[in-house]
Amino acid sequence: MSQTDPIVFLLDVDNTLLDNDAIVDELRRHLTEAFGAESQQRYWTIFEKHRAEVGYADYLAALQQYRSENPREPQILEASFFLLEYPFADRVYPGAFDVIAKFNSWGTSVILSDGDVIFQPRKIERSGLYKATHEHALVYIHKEKQLDDVEARYPARHYVVVDDKLRLLHAMKQVWGSRLTTVFPRQGHYAHDPKQTAAYPPADVSVDRIGDLLHYDLAALLAAADSGGGGAAARDQSRE
């Protein structure tokens, strides 16, 4: 971007715009059917160990390591096909595209996600989210540590970040302060983990589902940045 936008909306993907928990549940069932319960459990052990090491989810890397342990497993192709050809558009939350369209009418919408360099971009593209944001997407290893790069690429007077992890919203608020409105959709297992939600301050705006943001106006979202959290300033405001 060549000039400063009045406002930029930064949108997480997994369990924010797209029901990633449902995808994981389907993958579990698929792996159990293809390889058996024990092998399915081994895959997730590899997955979680790798995520702890690198700091982000990498389904394909875990599958590759599983393959190295089971080089004669022919069904590995089926698991690969399942991941790469998954109909991600079917898992976009109701109202998500409408919210993006509304944000586009107010400013610039940008996908801001963590993840690997192959599977996560493919998910973003095949889900239709890449097109909906006019091909504005950033995928980092730790996005909360890359806000200087985000700001260089998408300079704005104000940012709105929508993410299902309070930890990340809090980290970003520490950097951008009142220039940032944090929005917390209570979707997915992180958002419903009491340990996660108790460990950090409330977001400026909280909604039960992404589609609820259709009932919020821009002025209320901007004002919520200075409201002290909890979403009181933006809740039940005027509709457009």
Side-chain angles (χ1 to χ4, degrees):
M1 297 177 65
S2 59
Q3 58 185 4
T4 301
D5 263 17
I7 184 167
V8 168
F9 298 88
L10 302 170
L11 309 173
D12 178 51
V13 175
D14 296 333
N15 292 329
T16 296
L17 297 173
L18 181 147
D19 189 351
N20 196 65
D21 284 354
I23 297 172
V24 169
D25 287 344
E26 285 194 45
L27 177 58
R28 290 183 188 278
R29 290 193 294 270
H30 178 80
L31 292 175
T32 299
E33 293 172 0
F35 304 112
E38 184 175 344
S39 293
Q40 181 263 144
Q41 292 172 0
R42 176 56 187 160
Y43 170 84
W44 289 110
T45 297
I46 294 170
F47 174 87
E48 293 297 344
K49 181 175 183 294
H50 188 268
R51 177 159 63 177
E53 291 173 350
V54 302
Y56 60 88
D58 194 333
Y59 299 90
L60 297 181
L63 190 61
Q64 181 66 29
Q65 185 172 337
Y66 177 87
R67 178 176 180 262
S68 69
E69 296 179 1
N70 302 272
R72 298 183 179 182
E73 186 70 77
Q75 292 97 329
I76 201 74
L77 292 176
E78 295 180 17
S80 178
F81 294 153
F82 177 90
L83 287 169
L84 294 177
E85 300 303 324
Y86 188 89
F88 295 105
D90 295 344
R91 290 301 181 185
V92 176
Y93 284 120
F97 287 122
D98 293 329
V99 169
I100 293 173
K102 190 169 188 176
F103 287 171
N104 286 341
S105 72
W106 290 339
T108 300
S109 298
V110 182
I111 296 295
L112 180 62
S113 178
D114 287 340
D116 71 294
V117 74
I118 297 176
F119 185 64
Q120 193 67 7
R122 185 169 180 81
K123 180 192 297 182
I124 293 168
E125 192 276 330
R126 284 180 60 83
S127 65
L129 296 172
Y130 190 54
K131 181 179 180 180
T133 56
H134 304 304
E135 302 184 357
H136 295 298
L138 299 170
V139 180
Y140 297 106
I141 296 175
H142 298 291
K143 60 188 177 185
E144 74 278 15
K145 298 180 180 180
Q146 304 297 333
L147 298 187
D148 58 336
D149 189 61
V150 174
E151 189 163 2
R153 296 177 184 278
Y154 294 97
R157 290 196 292 271
H158 194 91
Y159 294 92
V160 175
V161 174
V162 187
D163 200 295
D164 67 300
K165 298 181 183 67
L166 281 177
R167 172 182 63 84
L168 297 181
L169 293 174
H170 177 64
M172 295 178 189
K173 191 73 169 182
Q174 294 296 103
V175 176
W176 279 333
S178 61
R179 292 180 59 210
L180 173 68
T181 299
T182 56
V183 180
F184 177 52
R186 294 185 291 264
Q187 302 170 155
H189 65 283
Y190 286 110
H192 290 97
D193 183 342
K195 291 183 179 179
Q196 294 286 333
T197 55
Y200 301 97
D204 297 323
V205 176
S206 294
V207 293
D208 289 330
R209 56 192 62 83
I210 190 70
D212 291 344
L213 288 173
L214 293 172
H215 304 313
Y216 288 62
D217 66 11
L218 179 58
L221 287 177
L222 298 182
D226 296 312
S227 69
R235 191 172 290 117
D236 298 326
Q237 295 293 323
S238 63
R239 294 176 171 84
E240 289 200 338

